[in-house]
Amino acid sequence: MGSGPGRNGISRGLTQLPRRAIEQGTWCAVDDVAKRGDAALLEATARFDRLKLDPSSLRVSAAEIEAAVKACEPATLDALELARDRIETYHRRQLPKDERFTDPLGVELGWRYTAIESAGLYVPGGTAAYPSSVLMNAVPAKVAGVSRLVMVVPSPDGKLNPLVLAAAHLGGVTEIYRVGGAQAVAALAHGTATIAPVAKIVGPGNAYVAAAKRLVFGKVGIDMIAGPSEVLVIADDTGNADWIAADLLAQAEHDASAQSILITDSSRLAADVEKAVEAQLKTLPRAAIASASWADFGAVIMVKNLGDAIPLADAIAAEHVEIMTADPDALAAKIRNAGAVFLGPHTPEAIGDYVGGSNHVLPTARSARFSSGLSVHDFMKRTSILKCGPDQLRALGPAAMTLGKAEGLDAHSRSIGLRLNLS
Amino acid sequence: MGSGPGRNGISRGLTQLPRRAIEQGTWCAVDDVAKRGDAALLEATARFDRLKLDPSSLRVSAAEIEAAVKACEPATLDALELARDRIETYHRRQLPKDERFTDPLGVELGWRYTAIESAGLYVPGGTAAYPSSVLMNAVPAKVAGVSRLVMVVPSPDGKLNPLVLAAAHLGGVTEIYRVGGAQAVAALAHGTATIAPVAKIVGPGNAYVAAAKRLVFGKVGIDMIAGPSEVLVIADDTGNADWIAADLLAQAEHDASAQSILITDSSRLAADVEKAVEAQLKTLPRAAIASASWADFGAVIMVKNLGDAIPLADAIAAEHVEIMTADPDALAAKIRNAGAVFLGPHTPEAIGDYVGGSNHVLPTARSARFSSGLSVHDFMKRTSILKCGPDQLRALGPAAMTLGKAEGLDAHSRSIGLRLNLS
């Protein structure tokens, strides 16, 4: 339930506390907010964020948001605007189409997509909060047509990152509360007197936030549980060692538990990349984090030929896969499990983090085996449609009645039989 | 972790045990299988299903499946085949399309869908197991292209429902293990010496199964957590009271905690339906369950006009919505939250349960506010694609570098700057 910078700052991963202890603490925190509402939320915020609030000061005011926007560098605001526009353009293409068709029997079938009414966006606090992540979550929700988008962001010691507020403003988020941790997730899921509940909660957070999301799943929808960031680079002898080393370190600097892996069939490149990583680490501001990540989770894997990289890549199922080979498209087509692929030497993953247009919220910890990056689909849902007339019911009814009876569900059969004068 | 008929039989919902006690018991069961594999799985099966197995008898043999198919009534097999074919035709239309486009800057973008490699299908045991649910889960997985589809089904006292095995056979499932409960979910998620792990687990189960799925979520994908079944009927004075009563009872017979609601603007219909429910209950084999459900959770709601039904329907967000009014399509178009809609008097929900073609695995317990019925999408995932050349990197790179620096991620900026000779 903690939401101070130490816990919520830069880490996208789980802390090292035993998972069960975290889950039990989270249970109490969530339960308390579910039962006592604002009072529990305010007490937890005072305790973990060292911030005394009352219900009227929970919400970040329009004036604060305006002041935050003014406090940002114009160049940064321009870059955020470019990012927003490109994310919006990309995600508009994801809008799903409704379907309606009539089958040979005359049965009308189909489905219809609608936006989720309300969504909550969790944003980690601390100094290294990510305004880009605000856009990556808010823009798809807006494109989907979510009418109420609520943001919660912890404000340890009362501090808020102006860039996060500016990104919210650019993303069209106006309802923002200065709370974080499991208590904020609980408030979004259960609602309090001040914060109306939402239907779905998205966004990354620390281990307490992840545990709280897992706990409220079912009452509300949640997105994936985010783990530490990962990159897998697949390169042949055409690869530029300096560029590859820079990309490996760009992932490693996120978190000491981030993972960067190079798979190559070139022993020359493997050696050069290892040297380049060491050299570049020397001048990196976040060298402590990046070198811990590289030492503990980094790897250079030699393969006989690039074909051998494919089953390895599928087993690793990395969040990000960069392919720097003579024919990157051909190799990418053979990989099944990857959150995102970045093709060719001029597509560093950092472009995708910010301004490529695709979403940077991607499956981590091998979950690319079964899940996808955040998209417009995460903010919409599908209602299926079925329509029979008397003829269609006559054609299909008897088989349905047979199955109803076989399953011991006589009222199912009867609901059809009554209409067909068969019961 | 129980999987006997008393717990796993007909109930699609949670038991009345305190959720936390269930979760703690489940934690131990899952942890035990994760650590000790087959030994723990076999012990739990001996304890809860009163069935002593060894690793070689865990899997249901091809001969057993063949014998089960032969033991089924030909009419029932025909009905299951019709259901399978219609489910397959409907779900083929859901296959998502890949996308690839070049934006005005020359950046290549898009995404690609691939099937999940392996999926586990949980099937409840007991005498009232649902062969239709086997098809509803297996067919979309097959249509998606899942190459390994594993089924687990508890076999209390050694008994297996031949129809469930027949449905598995028709659905193309050949790898079946006679285990259930939290221990089966754990085996699918963590793998044992006998059961290779899967990437995603789907299918309904009792409270222990639901808790186990919640617990392994992240390590593997899961589908929704299923609750008791629900139907909302919206009808005007054109409604046939007997048919509506039959539909309300078809839902109520599932489970004492199932819910059936009628909303109408006709006091004549409201009174007639209440009478018809009482009359039909008298001759219903599952009258005890259905009358408990109707007494505790059933409702007839009068509205002044049908327009007032829309916000109510959205708040209830029912799994199934039947609309029997003069213009059902127009009313359906205004409802946002529903798992499935059934239009007109000749579309009883039971048709959708079996042979309509659409999926009967639908969001319950108000989760239609944020989630959709099971579909081909649940068995596929999307990899996003990004490709820049030197010109595109030059165009987008500076903005990305600005954002990387603003977020304190210098290695991100450097990975771009190195390529542009800017750092």
Side-chain angles (χ1 to χ4, degrees), chain B residues 35-71:
Chain B
K35 284 184 182 142
R36 298 196 299 125
D38 279 340
L41 179 63
L42 294 170
E43 282 171 31
T45 302
R47 181 171 167 205
F48 294 110
D49 293 340
R50 300 161 301 281
L51 180 65
K52 283 202 177 173
L53 298 171
D54 57 56
S56 69
S57 57
L58 272 172
R59 183 161 173 176
V60 177
S61 70
E64 280 175 279
I65 297 169
E66 204 183 318
V69 173
K70 281 188 186 152

Side-chain angles (χ1 to χ4, degrees), chain B residues 25-387:
Chain B
T26 303
W27 179 292
C28 298
V30 171
D31 192 50
D32 196 27
V33 173
K35 284 184 182 142
R36 298 196 299 125
D38 279 340
L41 179 63
L42 294 170
E43 282 171 31
T45 302
R47 181 171 167 205
F48 294 110
D49 293 340
R50 300 161 301 281
L51 180 65
K52 283 202 177 173
L53 298 171
D54 57 56
S56 69
S57 57
L58 272 172
R59 183 161 173 176
V60 177
S61 70
E64 280 175 279
I65 297 169
E66 204 183 318
V69 173
K70 281 188 186 152
C72 296
E73 295 280 345
T76 313
L77 285 178
D78 287 349
L80 282 173
E81 260 186 85
L82 174 72
R84 180 202 57 194
D85 292 346
R86 290 187 58 86
I87 298 165
E88 188 176 324
T89 302
Y90 181 91
H91 287 76
R92 284 214 176 279
R93 289 186 175 250
Q94 292 177 336
L95 278 164
K97 287 199 178 64
D98 294 347
E99 174 92 333
R100 190 85 182 248
F101 63 99
T102 304
D103 76 5
L105 290 176
V107 181
E108 289 179 50
L109 299 131
W111 53 81
R112 188 163 59 91
Y113 281 93
T114 46
I116 290 173
E117 287 164 330
S118 56
L121 164 52
Y122 189 92
V123 177
T127 49
Y130 296 127
S132 58
S133 294
V134 174
L135 293 178
M136 291 291 177
N137 281 275
V139 175
K142 285 285 173 185
V143 169
V146 173
S147 47
R148 179 174 167 246
L149 187 55
V150 187
M151 187 171 119
V152 293
V153 54
S155 166
D157 299 308
K159 291 189 192 98
L160 278 173
N161 182 336
L163 279 172
V164 162
L165 294 184
H169 174 72
L170 290 173
V173 188
T174 55
E175 186 178 345
I176 305 173
Y177 300 96
R178 62 186 103 237
V179 290
Q183 59 271 18
V185 173
L188 289 173
H190 293 281
T192 72
T194 307
I195 305 178
V198 299
K200 183 163 182 169
I201 301 173
V202 300
N206 67 10
Y208 294 94
V209 171
K213 282 168 68 180
R214 188 185 293 272
L215 207 55
V216 299
F217 172 51
K219 175 156 188 66
V220 297
I222 63 169
D223 60 350
M224 65 196 85
I225 306 282
S229 206
E230 313 143 350
V231 70
L232 168 65
V233 180
I234 304 176
D236 61 17
D237 202 53
T238 67
N240 179 312
D242 283 334
W243 298 0
I244 292 170
D247 295 356
L248 295 171
L249 289 174
Q251 214 58 228
E253 77 169 339
H254 269 298
D255 193 319
S257 52
Q259 179 159 54
S260 305
I261 298 175
L262 166 66
I263 302 182
T264 182
D265 61 351
S266 162
S267 52
R268 190 274 312 165
L269 185 72
D272 288 353
V273 167
E274 298 219 44
K275 266 181 252 159
V277 165
E278 297 309 323
Q280 291 182 25
L281 267 173
K282 285 179 188 148
T283 56
L284 203 62
R286 295 167 70 88
I289 292 166
S291 56
S293 157
W294 181 246
D296 291 344
F297 300 106
V300 175
I301 301 173
M302 283 291 306
V303 287
K304 272 205 181 145
N305 59 69
L306 286 178
D308 293 346
I310 294 159
L312 276 174
D314 280 339
I316 293 167
E319 184 187 12
H320 308 107
V321 177
E322 289 187 353
I323 306 183
M324 297 187 227
T325 59
D327 188 353
D329 289 78
L331 188 61
K334 293 178 188 156
I335 293 176
R336 185 201 282 254
N337 296 335
V341 293
F342 301 85
L343 302 176
H346 303 287
T347 319
E349 188 271 313
I351 289 290
D353 278 342
Y354 295 121
V355 292
S358 52
N359 208 293
H360 82 195
V361 181
L362 293 165
T364 55
R366 299 188 71 224
S367 64
R369 291 173 299 131
F370 54 80
S371 64
S372 311
L374 196 72
S375 77
V376 165
H377 298 271
D378 291 291
F379 297 100
M380 303 192 80
K381 66 261 182 352
R382 187 179 6 84
T383 298
S384 63
I385 300 166
L386 189 62
K387 186 177 188 179

Side-chain angles (χ1 to χ4, degrees), chain A residues 21-104:
Chain A
I22 289 172
E23 291 190 352
Q24 295 197 343
T26 303
W27 178 291
C28 298
V30 169
D31 191 52
D32 196 27
V33 173
K35 284 184 182 142
R36 298 196 300 123
D38 279 341
L41 179 63
L42 294 170
E43 282 171 30
T45 302
R47 181 171 167 205
F48 294 109
D49 293 341
R50 301 160 301 279
L51 180 66
K52 284 203 177 171
L53 298 171
D54 57 56
S56 69
S57 58
L58 272 171
R59 183 161 173 174
V60 177
S61 70
E64 280 175 278
I65 297 169
E66 203 182 319
V69 173
K70 281 188 184 150
C72 295
E73 295 280 345
T76 312
L77 285 179
D78 288 349
L80 282 174
E81 260 185 86
L82 174 71
R84 180 202 57 194
D85 293 346
R86 290 186 59 85
I87 297 165
E88 188 176 323
T89 302
Y90 181 91
H91 286 75
R92 282 209 178 283
R93 288 184 176 251
Q94 292 177 335
L95 279 166
K97 287 199 179 65
D98 294 347
E99 174 91 332
R100 190 86 180 248
F101 63 99
T102 304
D103 76 6

Side-chain angles (χ1 to χ4, degrees), chain A residues 251-272:
Chain A
Q251 214 58 228
E253 76 169 341
H254 269 298
D255 193 317
S257 51
Q259 179 159 53
S260 304
I261 298 175
L262 167 65
I263 302 181
T264 182
D265 60 352
S266 161
S267 52
R268 189 275 311 163
L269 185 71
D272 287 355

Side-chain angles (χ1 to χ4, degrees), chain A residues 3-30:
Chain A
S3 61
R7 286 189 186 150
N8 238 344
I10 56 99
S11 173
R12 289 183 176 185
L14 298 182
T15 72
Q16 297 309 305
L17 269 172
R19 178 174 155 191
R20 193 163 183 188
I22 289 172
E23 291 190 352
Q24 295 197 343
T26 303
W27 178 291
C28 298
V30 169

